[in-house]
Amino acid sequence: MLWRGLNDQVLQSFSVNTIASPDMESRVEELSLRSVALTHLDRLAEANQVIAEANRLCDFESYSACGDIIRARGVIALERGEQLEAKRDFLESLKYASTHKDGLLETTALINLSAVALQQEHYDEALDWSKSAYRDAVQLGADDLTQSALGNQGSAYYGLGDPDKALELFLEAENRAALLGSTEIRIAWLTSAGNVYASTGQLLLAERSYKNAIQFASQINNKEEIVNASMDLAQIYSGLTRLEDADHYANQAWKMAQQSGNRVDMLNSHLILGETAALRHDWDRASNLLHEVETAPDSQISMKWAAEHALAQMYETQGQRSSAQHAYQSALASFESARAELKQDDSRLSFVTNAARIYDDYIHFLIMQHKSVVALEAADWSRARTLEQGLGLIQNSKNVQPLPFSPTQIARNANATLLFYWLGEKQSYLWAVSPDKTEVVPLPTKREISSIIVRYNNALLKLEDPLKDENKDGSALYNMLVAPVSDLISAHRPVIILADGELSQLNFETLLVSSPTPHYWIEDATILSAPSIRMVTAAKPAIKSDGKLLLMGDAVSPDPDYPDLPMAYSEIQQIQKHFPSFKEAVFTRQHATPAAYLSAKPEQYSYIHFVAHGTASRLSPLDSAVILSSSRGAPDGYKLYARDILQHPINARLVTMAACYSSGTRSYAGEGLVGLSWAFLRAGAHSTIGALWDVSDESTPRLMDGLYSGLESGLSPATALRASKLALLHSKGNFRRPFYWAPFQLYVGR
């Protein structure tokens, strides 16, 4: 009954007039159940009385159920918002469970520890606790605990800015809870799914989820979940400027939170009320409420940066420019302080999404103040943070202030033109930087640009020839993204694209230039990509290469999903002829294994090349992998994972992956596409070549032969790749179509 949220019925099952049973073990267990039920009903004073009685019994003698009392103490502390006390109790219950070999209590303690970490917004820690709980719950066959662990994982991923993975887990947890009849826990996952819908703009689905949660919570008199769903519903209505509805639900949540004494919930309610007051231009009330949230010691860090963001927007509306800029910087500083606590690359990658709106509003604010270079510095500061920290280019600090830089000097040092893009919800921007000047150009919204990119990429994947088919999207993208700054682009300098969001999935070489006759932009310029301006600044001069090659591929098919590549051996032969045999290390067929790569000392090679299948994981990009031959003793021992690649530093001049989607399929805010190319850059490669889509087994050997011919003759990787692509483009067969030459893109590393 407790798991199903039937707290009133739990209490009714134990008559208040019952004389304590001589079986003290059962009495302790009863007290544990009663205290948790009272806690969920917000009857905390009574819950504490019950716990006090149980503590006296456990002080007298150690019963096995005393571990449940320790856990119950933690539940009460967590309900009060006393996170440190709750964590202490749950750690003690975990130790108790281990000592008494109580698997059920141990798993419950792990779930509760993940809940505390979620409240503290230590999301990577919460993920670790909930994954451990999930493994133990599955081993126990405890379905109720399994769904709780899944849902907590979802909450951790959501907090880390990964809504796709979070929604998948919330829906699975909610479905399992419904099958088990666990109404109380089902409500939590309904609310959580609503949060994902809200963050992705699916407001009607979010509203439905929250109202269902409130309905179910009211049926079982669960005030905690009514508060949570009410605040979320208020946030939805605030975004829709339905201010009366927003205030109604926020005030309802505040009154209930006040009754329970939960300061976090009270402050969260005040945050929403402050935002609605600002929308009404009730400046005094808005300022008081938002400053209260900003300065309260028990505010969650995400509430703090949300309050500072709301203050910045309020000051901006009032025309208080200096105060607005200070508030924006404070909000970003608060965000960075939270980000600095993260330990794992997976967590850092997605977490930046949480600050996307703040950066977007701040950059727009700076542009409106005619501070375009400061806006560029701020925009670049949001880029490639995980990549740069991994390479030691910046420290994992909480400082939000980027170091000033001279864009034209950077372009001059790189002898290139930089095209830096920012895709915004209300307005996008392009900074064009040549060695002589910097221009900023407003662009359409992210939604408008993204829709054209999707259409154009679909046309390329369908083997269309945009030149012959008069594809208007290719021309529209060039006219929108490049033409306004064409006077800053010289045929004698390469163009470095610093893409954002969906632009990372576009090969700019395929854009159509109309004058003097229609042609692809690749015919006018050498085009390459970089994650950030700081990466361009830190890029080392062309290294003097000793020309050693590590070549892996033509693997034995490890799985029907990854059949043998008919032309792999031919491609390997084409590449080998460009290197002396004493400078080659070649691993093929059964020798081409992940273990072989990791033990080959990849740091000693100037060139690393894979001729293999590749997989790109959208939900977990660091699980993207090169598919090689099987290593013994591991079910997926044929996968060279991105997360393993970045753990082995390299110093290669060029890493090439003739593998499908090796550039990745998921673009993270600030990091761009994350996949195998990103992993090799993170490992230390000076440049990488990866694929944006499926590569042709027929045209790729020819393209790679041309690439290495150019390298052999002394061309740079970017120039050699372009020359090889142009050879295909100017051929008379099907290979002239972009599908065959355009998937491969060169990325600049350090």
Side-chain angles (χ1 to χ4, degrees), residues 78 143 148 222 240 247 341 589 613 616 643 651:
L78 193 60
D143 292 339
S148 288
N222 187 316
L240 293 171
D247 283 350
E341 301 297 327
R589 304 306 292 164
H613 288 289
R643 65 179 68 257
N651 192 34

Side-chain angles (χ1 to χ4, degrees), residues 474-523:
S475 299
L477 287 169
Y478 178 83
N479 292 334
M480 179 191 300
L481 301 172
V482 181
V485 295
S486 59
D487 60 319
L488 297 186
I489 299 172
S490 167
H492 305 295
R493 292 192 301 265
V495 177
I496 300 178
I497 303 292
L498 299 109
D500 185 27
E502 287 78 358
L503 285 173
S504 302
Q505 300 170 359
L506 174 68
N507 187 333
F508 279 71
E509 296 170 323
T510 67
L511 302 187
L512 295 178
V513 187
S514 57
S515 178
T517 58
H519 60 280
Y520 294 110
W521 192 28
I522 189 176
E523 301 196 65

Side-chain angles (χ1 to χ4, degrees), residues 124-198:
D124 49 353
E125 180 186 344
L127 196 57
D128 290 339
W129 288 123
S130 55
K131 283 184 175 180
S132 297
Y134 176 77
R135 286 192 295 269
D136 287 358
V138 169
Q139 188 173 0
L140 286 171
D143 292 339
D144 45 7
L145 299 179
T146 300
Q147 57 83 27
S148 288
L150 282 171
N152 282 5
Q153 284 183 52
S155 297
Y157 280 119
Y158 181 72
L160 289 167
D162 196 338
D164 292 342
K165 185 174 284 188
L167 182 60
E168 178 186 3
L169 290 162
F170 288 147
L171 293 178
E172 182 179 353
E174 193 266 330
N175 183 57
R176 288 180 180 235
L179 292 173
L180 289 166
S182 299
T183 304
E184 183 170 73
I185 299 175
R186 183 185 182 188
I187 295 165
W189 309 142
L190 276 170
T191 303
S192 299
N195 293 340
V196 178
Y197 290 134

Side-chain angles (χ1 to χ4, degrees), residues 348-366:
R348 293 176 184 149
L349 280 171
S350 56
F351 193 68
V352 183
T353 305
N354 292 310
R357 282 190 57 202
I358 308 176
Y359 271 111
D360 195 22
D361 289 339
Y362 182 42
I363 287 163
H364 181 70
F365 166 78
L366 291 171

Side-chain angles (χ1 to χ4, degrees), residues 706-718:
L707 167 69
Y708 284 99
S709 291
L711 293 171
E712 194 175 14
S713 66
L715 298 178
S716 68

Side-chain angles (χ1 to χ4, degrees), residues 208-227:
R208 184 189 308 165
S209 291
Y210 295 146
K211 286 190 171 180
N212 285 340
I214 291 173
Q215 179 183 352
F216 286 134
S218 299
Q219 290 173 0
I220 62 172
N221 195 26
N222 187 316
K223 296 179 181 178
E224 178 186 359
E225 294 299 345
I226 295 174
V227 169

